Amino acid sequence: MSNTAVSTKSTWAGGKSPFKVSYGKLMMWFFLLSDAFTFSSLLVGYGAVRFAFPSVDETEMAKLREELPFGTDITEAYPAHVADGHAAHGEAAEADAHAHGNSFVETMQEKGLFDENHWPAPELVFNHFPGHHKHWPLMFVSLMTLILILSSVTMVLAVEAGQRMDKKKVELFMILTIIGGFMFLGCQAWEWTKFIGEGARLYANPFGPVTFAALFFLVTGFHGFHVLSGVVINIIIYINVVRGTYEKRGHYEMVEKTGLYWHFVDLVWVFVFTFFYLI
Amino acid sequence: MAHHNTPVDIHDEENYDPTVWVPKAHSHGTKGLWKTFWILLILTILDVVFYFKMDPSMNRNILFIALGVVKAAFIVYSFMHLTFEHKSLKMSIVLPMLFVVYLIAFLLTEADYLNGLIW
């Protein structure tokens, strides 16, 4: 390309960036735009399936909320009755009673609150918290959201330190971001383990419509894989920061680019949280 | 192209080489970033409060999605620095998202049809 008479060139005539960003950063933005379409398709598809099913009966739910206040011990309130064959609804429910020592899922099935033709209330599906068997609806997923938002803050602080060429601060905030990423992945692994342990599969769902479990694994799995690859990319960038690659290059734009990806993963989680745990 | 025996000024707009050119970075401070963090935290807490205090309805779902869009806007404009980018980049990223509105409109209609098939 020619460099003559650069200053007289119009915006789109070549010889300069019409977007006033580097090539790499522009391509990262366009990739994220395409990825946003992918997640939009998944979540809007989920919304369509959700909308096709009616919710469970609200008067029954109101009664249950009276009977099951926040903090109720599930094991005490719904003791296991494994020997009682007729109460179990299918293999999954029996497996649940064996594995968890309670009959919560079975009882909800009997009350008609977990039914294959009605969408379950998320507060009954996602009510576990590590360390105890109390009914803590939506608290664990709120904690996961907090972890991801905090790791977004440390990421953006690393980007800001990079803009000031502060190598030590970039190292510190990158490592905090990586730790936050691992914490989130650990939480998700725990939640999947719990959900699978209670009988949820791609092809089976003791809590309600099968598509609910299938889409849960598909979408949170797709998002979780984004988090995993984000952590891997962050580790690679962190090693480069420590080795002084960007110090030598004269700018920390790679930290900014991986930061864009990391914030996008946080953005997607905002909608996964909204669609799967609230709606 | 710059000659190899002279050091390349990677920030020089008059000597644009797309393989290395990068605008000079400057910090916008951390105050706005922490503000965004508190806004995201408060909106997430509001989500949970609305979930337990409001009866399930389409209006509540729309409220949740609206809160999600507000949170997403804060992440994109503050954390991803889109507010500091050139207008051409802002428009290239934000305007195509309007296609998602079409997708929602079409699939809500389809879901209504699916609902009719099931029931």
Side-chain angles (χ1 to χ4, degrees):
Chain A
M1 68 207 67
S2 158
N3 280 325
T4 52
V6 173
S7 50
T8 59
K9 272 180 182 161
S10 72
T11 312
W12 298 94
K16 63 174 169 179
S17 168
F19 298 99
K20 304 233 186 303
V21 288
S22 71
Y23 174 77
K25 195 164 141 187
L26 183 66
M27 290 306 119
M28 178 53 94
W29 270 110
F30 285 161
F31 161 68
L32 293 181
L33 180 65
S34 72
D35 219 16
F37 285 139
T38 308
F39 275 108
S40 301
S41 313
L42 287 170
L43 287 170
V44 175
Y46 173 85
V49 174
R50 168 70 189 87
F51 194 56
F53 283 92
S55 300
V56 288
D57 186 34
E58 188 45 38
T59 41
E60 277 295 316
M61 265 311 290
K63 263 195 265 171
L64 185 80
R65 279 196 203 99
E66 295 280 314
E67 171 190 321
L68 184 67
F70 185 92
T72 311
D73 196 306
I74 299 285
T75 337
E76 277 173 24
Y78 303 94
H81 46 95
V82 187
D84 188 6
H86 76 275
H89 282 221
E91 281 173 46
E94 262 179 63
D96 170 67
H98 277 293
H100 300 275
N102 70 64
S103 57
F104 180 74
V105 175
E106 285 171 81
T107 315
M108 293 308 121
Q109 286 174 342
E110 279 160 21
K111 285 178 186 290
L113 292 170
F114 287 166
D115 165 55
E116 60 177 345
N117 291 322
H118 292 82
W119 212 264
E123 65 191 90
L124 296 184
V125 183
F126 306 106
N127 63 348
H128 305 293
F129 204 88
H132 58 69
H133 297 288
K134 295 198 172 81
H135 176 65
W136 275 26
L138 302 187
M139 290 301 115
F140 188 60
V141 72
S142 303
L143 176 72
M144 285 168 76
T145 308
L146 177 68
I147 290 170
L148 208 55
I149 294 175
L150 272 174
S151 85
S152 246
V153 174
T154 55
M155 184 76 238
V156 82
L157 290 175
V159 172
E160 196 270 340
Q163 289 164 338
R164 292 185 283 105
M165 300 296 289
D166 186 343
K167 181 167 178 266
K168 283 276 159 254
K169 279 281 159 62
V170 179
E171 282 174 19
L172 170 72
F173 287 124
M174 284 297 290
I175 205 81
L176 287 176
T177 309
I178 293 164
I179 291 169
F182 275 122
M183 280 170 75
F184 182 85
L185 286 171
C187 287
Q188 202 163 41
W190 187 84
E191 198 184 30
W192 272 44
T193 310
K194 205 80 191 160
F195 206 41
I196 294 168
E198 288 179 323
R201 301 284 187 276
L202 286 169
Y203 53 83
N205 183 10
F207 304 99
V210 172
T211 31
F212 172 47
L215 280 166
F216 176 84
F217 288 124
L218 180 75
V219 178
T220 63
F222 205 62
H223 174 264
F225 196 71
H226 272 73
V227 178
L228 178 66
S229 49
V231 170
V232 171
I233 296 164
N234 278 347
I235 290 172
I236 294 168
I237 301 294
Y238 171 74
I239 292 168
N240 282 339
V241 172
V242 173
R243 285 159 54 111
T245 309
Y246 308 127
E247 193 76 21
K248 268 183 240 129
R249 195 176 287 177
H251 62 85
Y252 280 83
E253 215 204 21
M254 280 308 286
V255 177
E256 214 169 314
K257 278 179 258 183
T258 185
L260 285 176
Y261 182 71
W262 191 253
H263 297 312
F264 176 76
V265 168
D266 184 22
L267 188 156
V268 170
W269 179 254
V270 162
F271 289 103
V272 173
F273 174 68
T274 302
F275 278 81
F276 280 87
Y277 300 92
L278 298 175
I279 289 179
Chain B
M1 289 284 169
H3 294 289
H4 288 290
N5 51 356
T6 54
V8 186
D9 180 3
I10 53 172
H11 304 308
D12 185 7
E13 211 169 333
E14 299 294 297
N15 197 12
Y16 177 69
D17 175 355
T19 57
V20 291
W21 184 78
V22 58
K24 197 147 179 52
H26 46 94
S27 164
H28 298 277
T30 56
K31 230 176 133 182
L33 306 175
W34 282 108
K35 203 177 114 189
T36 305
F37 165 72
W38 288 114
I39 290 169
L40 291 176
L41 186 66
I42 289 165
L43 291 182
T44 306
I45 292 169
L46 275 182
D47 267 335
V48 178
V49 169
F50 288 147
Y51 180 91
F52 288 108
K53 293 291 170 199
M54 287 172 78
D55 287 332
S57 67
M58 201 53 182
N59 284 340
R60 192 182 76 168
N61 294 347
I62 290 166
L63 177 66
F64 285 145
I65 293 169
L67 282 172
V69 171
V70 172
K71 280 188 269 183
F74 272 103
I75 291 172
V76 171
Y77 278 95
S78 172
F79 284 173
M80 295 167 90
H81 295 113
L82 193 63
T83 182
F84 302 117
E85 301 293 359
H86 194 256
K87 200 181 171 190
S88 55
L89 179 58
K90 274 187 201 162
M91 291 300 112
S92 307
I93 300 303
V94 176
L95 288 184
M97 289 313 289
L98 287 176
F99 285 117
V100 176
V101 179
Y102 275 98
L103 191 63
I104 291 169
F106 287 145
L107 276 182
L108 275 181
T109 320
E110 289 296 317
D112 213 30
Y113 176 68
L114 276 175
N115 196 323
L117 280 186
I118 293 169
W119 309 107

